[in-house]
Amino acid sequence: MAERPPIEARGGGPSGDAVDTPGARSRDRDHAAEVRRALLAGDDAPRRSFDDGATVRPAGQPRNAVFVIEAGWLYSARILPDGRRQLLEVWLPGQIVGLGEHGLQRPLSALYALGPTELHEISWERLRERMCASGELSDQVAMLIAHERLMFEERLTSLGRRDAAERLGHFLLEMHHRLRPSANRFRLPVTQAFLADMLGLTSVHVSRMLSQLRDEGLVDMNDQGVHLLDIDTLRRACDFDPGYLAVDPVCNDAD
Amino acid sequence: MAERPPIEARGGGPSGDAVDTPGARSRDRDHAAEVRRALLAGDDAPRRSFDDGATVRPAGQPRNAVFVIEAGWLYSARILPDGRRQLLEVWLPGQIVGLGEHGLQRPLSALYALGPTELHEISWERLRERMCASGELSDQVAMLIAHERLMFEERLTSLGRRDAAERLGHFLLEMHHRLRPSANRFRLPVTQAFLADMLGLTSVHVSRMLSQLRDEGLVDMNDQGVHLLDIDTLRRACDFDPGYLAVDPVCNDAD
DNA sequence: CGGCATGTTGACCATATTCAATTGAAGTGG
DNA sequence: CCACTTCAATTGAATATGGTCAACATGCCG
């Protein structure tokens, strides 16, 4: 068993933007940027600020807007009645948050600020209006939703079939890829409890696994600073293939 | 707790289709049916048959079609290089499979037949053509993709934060809801190993947990026949809320 | 009949959780 | 400046949940 295709199954690098099967659109174009421009055109979208930890959008309430992140990070989470929580996604500057609730009356997941944030708020009314006006916009929105789905596909695989160390390594590689720092260091402003709720673990075990990764010379993480010591080994160990990551339009400061 | 709306959620189900926040679309219309009609109009879509277990679409190959299920079930799966596999979704008759790969050159997940199946194949070329022609179609496709994403959101929560028994109960309730049998019995033509790969467990443990659920008087499952003995208790125990399930257009035989 | 796939059960083991104690850093208020 | 609190992280010990290995039963099908 076990085929052995991926790990670099592309043309060259994470986005061999050369070949394009006819009729198939490349994910390499920055759809988010185009959608952002379309949604913000007119420049009258209200701006909103949130403090660290603030609830940007509660769960269960009628959904009525999407957000374009101007600065800061967000995360989405699903809370169970007994308090357990599963974090679903981390959202970075430039991303459009909330498209995935298209067609849903009330989101099941809540949205919180990860650090102080600046957002543009675009009402669904306005969004619909612009989508009706532009088939291309509709299409790009569909692709962005498909990309959110694809991220979940990968995370589902992590939670279902990867052990704690693999999940951690995989997630850190993912964030590294999304943030595109110049070096192998980047800031990840989250606690270990956050990582735990993201990866289906406990904070205690996250602490242990990070120590282990450090001992193995793979990752050094302290005080929200991540240093990937041996990316190639880590990628192999975690079965990380960035093929599922679209270009995330993020401007970021390394270290 | 535990609402009690659906089970016949068509006319006035989980979301009293009377009220509709302006600009917000209800998920209660059967978008899948409308998209199906649009894609199959002309009736020249090639039909394809697959035997049980056949690969409908391999992973890693250029994606070039979506499928409308005429009869039989499909499932999608992600396979890790070392053979571990995570099943992602079960697809039922009437569903359109492959929309979630919109914008992606090569799907990471493979698609297999669960029992003998009959499909209509619609090329992406054709799909794009019709989406360009109809903004409404684009929009409905976006909603269907959003729904796939929503299913993942729920399953992610299961894998991350629910224990084995809860995952099993939750999944069975979900299938019960999607299949809409007349009674509390339905056929689920999968093995315990299948359930295991779906829920991030081992087949041995699935066996044990099913025995436990039987002992508790909650679920009786044998030879692919599921009997939900105490739905209300089960729902409460598993935190199952069908709100995330759109109306799945499925015709099914109970028992 | 024999082979294969599936499910069940037991014994043992591993991974991860729970509980608890400790440390260090950061913030508050006297 | 110094208690005092709070929160995050670390570590150890005990525990639990689920995994591994293996044996066996059953049903199906050639």
Side-chain angles (χ1 to χ4, degrees):
Chain A
M1 61 172 65
E3 320 151 47
R4 233 334 164 106
I7 217 64
E8 57 165 359
R10 221 71 174 258
S15 52
D17 48 45
V19 274
D20 225 10
T21 35
R25 294 278 290 268
S26 163
R27 199 185 277 280
D28 293 311
R29 286 177 55 208
D30 190 344
H31 300 298
E34 297 179 29
V35 173
R36 230 178 313 149
R37 272 192 289 277
L39 294 184
L40 296 178
D43 200 32
D44 56 337
R47 294 172 74 108
R48 302 187 60 188
S49 301
F50 292 90
D51 293 333
D52 180 33
T55 301
V56 172
R57 184 202 67 194
Q61 302 290 82
R63 152 227 77 164
N64 51 20
V66 300
F67 303 95
V68 176
I69 306 183
E70 176 81 16
W73 297 15
L74 300 181
Y75 69 96
S76 44
R78 187 104 161 49
I79 316 260
L80 300 191
D82 65 355
R84 287 178 287 184
R85 60 179 212 161
Q86 177 61 46
L87 307 193
L88 299 166
E89 194 52 278
V90 172
W91 304 90
L92 303 180
Q95 289 198 280
I96 301 130
V97 190
L99 295 176
E101 272 80 23
H102 188 33
L104 185 68
Q105 299 92 341
R106 327 172 156 261
L108 299 170
S109 58
L111 210 54
Y112 304 98
L114 193 51
T117 59
E118 295 286 331
L119 311 177
H120 296 281
E121 177 172 332
I122 288 110
S123 71
W124 270 95
E125 199 177 344
R126 174 175 183 154
L127 176 56
R128 291 202 68 76
E129 169 191 303
R130 305 219 167 170
M131 281 173 72
C132 288
S134 160
E136 196 185 8
L137 179 63
S138 299
D139 195 49
Q140 286 169 329
V141 165
M143 284 196 218
L144 290 177
I145 299 173
H147 181 244
E148 292 184 25
R149 177 195 162 282
L150 191 63
M151 298 283 288
F152 281 173
E153 199 171 301
E154 187 71 28
R155 220 180 303 284
L156 210 45
T157 306
S158 267
L159 295 203
R161 287 302 181 218
R162 290 196 253 256
D163 67 24
E166 289 173 318
R167 285 181 220 178
L168 260 170
H170 197 279
F171 180 75
L172 294 179
L173 284 168
E174 179 183 304
M175 291 310 299
H176 176 253
H177 210 88
R178 292 177 64 188
L179 291 165
R180 304 190 170 283
S182 47
N184 290 341
R185 299 168 179 275
F186 58 97
R187 250 182 56 76
L188 188 65
V190 305
T191 65
Q192 294 184 353
F194 183 99
L195 293 174
D197 283 339
M198 190 95 208
L199 302 175
L201 302 166
T202 59
S203 61
V204 174
H205 205 233
V206 166
S207 174
R208 285 193 232 274
M209 290 298 104
L210 284 175
S211 300
Q212 180 185 307
L213 288 174
R214 189 175 307 123
D215 294 345
E216 292 172 344
L218 292 176
V219 177
D220 191 10
M221 177 172 187
N222 42 30
D223 193 32
Q224 312 189 338
V226 180
H227 187 188
L228 302 180
L229 301 168
D230 184 348
I231 291 197
D232 288 343
T233 305
L234 192 61
R235 281 170 68 150
R236 261 174 272 118
C238 302
D239 179 47
F240 178 77
D241 174 358
Y244 70 100
L245 288 168
V247 179
D248 256 324
V250 173
C251 32
N252 182 256
D253 45 307
D255 198 316
Chain B
M1 61 171 64
E3 325 148 49
R4 201 71 196 353
I7 218 67
E8 55 166 359
R10 222 67 180 255
S15 49
D17 48 43
V19 271
D20 224 10
T21 33
R25 293 277 290 269
S26 164
R27 199 185 279 279
D28 291 312
R29 286 178 52 210
D30 191 343
H31 300 298
E34 297 178 28
V35 172
R36 229 179 314 150
R37 271 192 288 279
L39 295 185
L40 295 177
D43 200 33
D44 55 336
R47 293 172 75 107
R48 303 187 59 187
S49 301
F50 292 90
D51 294 332
D52 180 33
T55 301
V56 173
R57 185 201 67 194
Q61 302 290 82
R63 153 227 75 164
N64 50 22
V66 301
F67 303 96
V68 176
I69 306 183
E70 177 80 16
W73 297 14
L74 300 181
Y75 69 96
S76 43
R78 188 104 160 52
I79 316 261
L80 301 191
D82 65 356
R84 287 178 286 185
R85 60 177 211 162
Q86 177 61 47
L87 306 194
L88 298 166
E89 194 53 277
V90 173
W91 303 90
L92 302 180
Q95 290 197 280
I96 300 131
V97 189
L99 295 175
E101 270 81 22
H102 188 33
L104 185 67
Q105 298 94 340
R106 323 168 163 263
L108 299 170
S109 58
L111 209 53
Y112 304 99
L114 193 50
T117 60
E118 295 286 331
L119 311 177
H120 295 281
E121 178 173 330
I122 287 109
S123 70
W124 271 95
E125 199 176 343
R126 174 174 183 155
L127 176 57
R128 291 202 68 75
E129 171 190 302
R130 305 218 168 171
M131 282 173 72
C132 288
S134 160
E136 196 185 7
L137 180 63
S138 299
D139 195 48
Q140 286 170 330
V141 165
M143 284 195 217
L144 290 177
I145 299 173
H147 181 244
E148 292 184 24
R149 177 195 164 283
L150 191 63
M151 298 284 288
F152 281 173
E153 199 170 301
E154 188 70 28
R155 219 181 302 287
L156 211 46
T157 306
S158 267
L159 294 202
R161 287 300 180 220
R162 290 197 252 255
D163 66 24
E166 289 173 317
R167 284 181 219 178
L168 260 171
H170 197 278
F171 181 74
L172 294 179
L173 284 167
E174 178 184 305
M175 291 310 297
H176 176 253
H177 209 87
R178 292 177 64 188
L179 292 166
R180 305 190 171 282
S182 48
N184 290 340
R185 298 167 180 276
F186 58 98
R187 251 182 56 75
L188 188 64
V190 305
T191 65
Q192 293 185 352
F194 183 99
L195 293 174
D197 282 340
M198 190 94 209
L199 302 174
L201 302 166
T202 59
S203 60
V204 175
H205 203 54
V206 167
S207 175
R208 284 194 235 272
M209 291 298 104
L210 284 175
S211 300
Q212 180 185 307
L213 289 174
R214 189 175 306 124
D215 294 344
E216 292 172 343
L218 292 175
V219 177
D220 190 10
M221 178 171 187
N222 42 29
D223 193 32
Q224 312 189 338
V226 180
H227 188 188
L228 302 181
L229 301 169
D230 184 348
I231 292 198
D232 286 344
T233 306
L234 193 61
R235 281 169 69 151
R236 261 174 271 116
C238 302
D239 178 48
F240 178 76
D241 173 359
Y244 71 99
L245 287 168
V247 178
D248 256 324
V250 173
C251 33
N252 182 253
D253 45 308
D255 198 320

